[in-house]
Amino acid sequence: MSESSELTSILYPQIDPHTTGMLPVSTLHTIFWERSGNTGGHPVIVIHGGPGGGSQPSYRQYFDPEKFDIIQFDQRGCGKSTPYAELAENNTHNSVADIECLRQHLGIEKWHVFGGSWGSTLGLIYAQSHPTKVLSLTLRGIFTCRKSELHWFYQQGASYVFPDAFEPYQNHIPEAEQENLIAAYYSRLTSADANVRRAAAKQWTRWEMATSRLFPDPEYLEKADDLDFAVAFARIECHYFINGIFVDDGHILDNCDKISHIPVTIVQGRYDMVCPTVSAWELHKKLPSSNLIIVPDAGHSMGETSIARELVVATDNL
Ligand code: STX
């Protein structure tokens, strides 16, 4: 069976949202949201990655549509949210507040939280900020966004495993600035010149797409050639990372006592190069009752079959 047909057999069928909306969350930002599945079912909020990655139709397929009221939204500045790729007023605290704003707008008392990668970061910080609103956490590719994790992926670490993919990312920056690649990319991604922004966004995004799977998928790499996607993704990611995601280093691991009562399942690909397994391990140690599943034959992406299989088992068991 090809990988994509195997994935189709693991996931629930494709469905469309039955309701969508635009929710103003500040004088500047409006966020797009959508709802699919069964409105009377168990509510689950799906938190996308990046930051800046946007919601995706395939994310609905990780849930039984008869059982779940599936809610997704585009975080500030990405997907169908407006203004596009905007960095002003775009930070972790406002993103947490937006999730609460959406919950109240939809009249939902408590919900399940599902997120991978940056979606795990934001999901954890949301749960730590609003622990009484969260029924459970289903997390994949744990990213606690500490300086050590950012250094591993954007400066040196993953570069040792993917030197071929790292070279164009590194060489986009002149040698004199290569000592701090996040800072060098930030200055280009926020350049007044749209061509400079777009060229930097392409290389930044290619690096991430090339390293997201155990077996790189050329189709996935094409995401970086969609410069409309890449500009928001790269700009927003880099903005959050250069600002240390606007919280103290280690904030998530230091605040696990606030969510010790919440059931947590962690699905982690052993060979995740973007968010290495050590963070999932440290999170599991801070949340001893969490269920940690280390998938032996996967990297970072939720589109990898063995990760998808574990995620569907996890949501079926909620
Ligand atoms: N960024 C990790 C992350 O959240 C460092 C992420 N990586 N790829 C994605 O998100 C998309 C699937 C949204 C493209």
Side-chain angles (χ1 to χ4, degrees), residues 106-164:
L106 298 175
I108 290 166
E109 197 188 333
K110 296 176 186 213
W111 48 11
H112 297 280
V113 173
F114 179 96
S117 199
W118 166 258
S120 77
T121 321
L122 185 56
L124 282 159
I125 298 176
Y126 170 71
Q128 291 172 340
S129 309
H130 301 280
T132 61
K133 308 302 180 209
V134 176
L135 295 165
S136 72
L137 284 158
T138 304
L139 307 171
R140 185 259 329 158
I142 300 302
F143 189 30
T144 75
C145 251
R146 288 166 290 175
K147 288 190 175 66
S148 58
E149 289 159 89
L150 297 171
H151 189 270
W152 158 272
F153 186 64
Y154 292 103
Q155 192 67 39
Q156 188 181 67
S159 58
Y160 284 20
V161 185
F162 280 94
D164 44 349

Side-chain angles (χ1 to χ4, degrees), residues 61-74:
Q61 295 176 256
Y62 289 76
F63 306 92
D64 180 344
E66 308 253 307
K67 181 173 161 190
F68 286 102
D69 180 2
I70 308 156
I71 296 136
Q72 286 201 74
F73 71 107
D74 290 328

Side-chain angles (χ1 to χ4, degrees), residues 49-50 53 59 117-118 143 154 208-209 220 233 237 241 274 300:
Y59 296 171
S117 199
W118 166 258
F143 189 30
Y154 292 103
E208 191 155 335
M209 297 305 140
Y220 210 62
F233 181 68
E237 278 200 334
F241 300 158
V274 184
H300 181 63

Side-chain angles (χ1 to χ4, degrees), residues 244-256:
I245 71 159
F246 308 91
V247 301
D248 292 336
D249 206 43
H251 174 89
I252 290 175
L253 294 174
D254 290 343
N255 283 278
C256 283

Side-chain angles (χ1 to χ4, degrees), residues 21-263:
M22 296 294 291
L23 178 66
V25 287
S26 79
T27 50
L28 178 60
H29 287 276
T30 297
I31 59 167
F32 168 82
W33 60 268
E34 59 152 69
R35 204 166 182 179
S36 57
N38 178 358
T39 313
H42 303 290
V44 57
I45 177 78
V46 180
I47 305 182
H48 68 68
S55 63
Q56 306 294 330
S58 63
Y59 296 171
R60 301 172 200 134
Q61 295 176 256
Y62 289 76
F63 306 92
D64 180 344
E66 308 253 307
K67 181 173 161 190
F68 286 102
D69 180 2
I70 308 156
I71 296 136
Q72 286 201 74
F73 71 107
D74 290 328
Q75 293 161 35
R76 293 186 182 204
C78 68
K80 297 193 192 81
S81 292
T82 61
Y84 193 64
E86 178 61 60
L87 302 182
E89 294 179 25
N90 198 339
N91 60 55
T92 307
H93 305 286
N94 287 340
S95 293
V96 166
D98 292 349
I99 298 172
E100 263 305 271
C101 195
L102 182 58
R103 185 187 62 75
Q104 287 161 13
H105 177 71
L106 298 175
I108 290 166
E109 197 188 333
K110 296 176 186 213
W111 48 11
H112 297 280
V113 173
F114 179 96
S117 199
W118 166 258
S120 77
T121 321
L122 185 56
L124 282 159
I125 298 176
Y126 170 71
Q128 291 172 340
S129 309
H130 301 280
T132 61
K133 308 302 180 209
V134 176
L135 295 165
S136 72
L137 284 158
T138 304
L139 307 171
R140 185 259 329 158
I142 300 302
F143 189 30
T144 75
C145 251
R146 288 166 290 175
K147 288 190 175 66
S148 58
E149 289 159 89
L150 297 171
H151 189 270
W152 158 272
F153 186 64
Y154 292 103
Q155 192 67 39
Q156 188 181 67
S159 58
Y160 284 20
V161 185
F162 280 94
D164 44 349
F166 192 74
E167 197 172 84
Y169 161 77
Q170 182 180 38
N171 288 350
H172 185 70
I173 304 300
E175 221 174 303
E177 286 178 76
Q178 286 178 4
E179 213 168 284
N180 187 341
L181 290 169
I182 291 181
Y185 268 94
Y186 190 69
S187 74
R188 286 158 183 79
L189 291 166
T190 54
S191 162
D193 182 338
N195 291 324
V196 171
R197 291 200 301 271
R198 290 165 82 85
K202 181 170 173 165
Q203 294 308 327
W204 174 280
T205 305
R206 272 189 89 84
W207 166 237
E208 191 155 335
M209 297 305 140
T211 48
S212 281
R213 289 168 173 254
L214 186 59
F215 300 110
D217 174 355
E219 225 174 88
Y220 210 62
L221 253 182
E222 280 169 19
K223 253 182 130 61
D225 297 330
D226 174 359
L227 292 188
D228 290 330
F229 170 82
V231 162
F233 181 68
R235 255 167 76 85
I236 296 171
E237 278 200 334
C238 198
H239 165 74
Y240 273 69
F241 300 158
I242 203 162
N243 287 295
I245 71 159
F246 308 91
V247 301
D248 292 336
D249 206 43
H251 174 89
I252 290 175
L253 294 174
D254 290 343
N255 283 278
C256 283
D257 56 309
K258 299 194 172 82
I259 53 170
S260 56
H261 61 290
I262 299 174

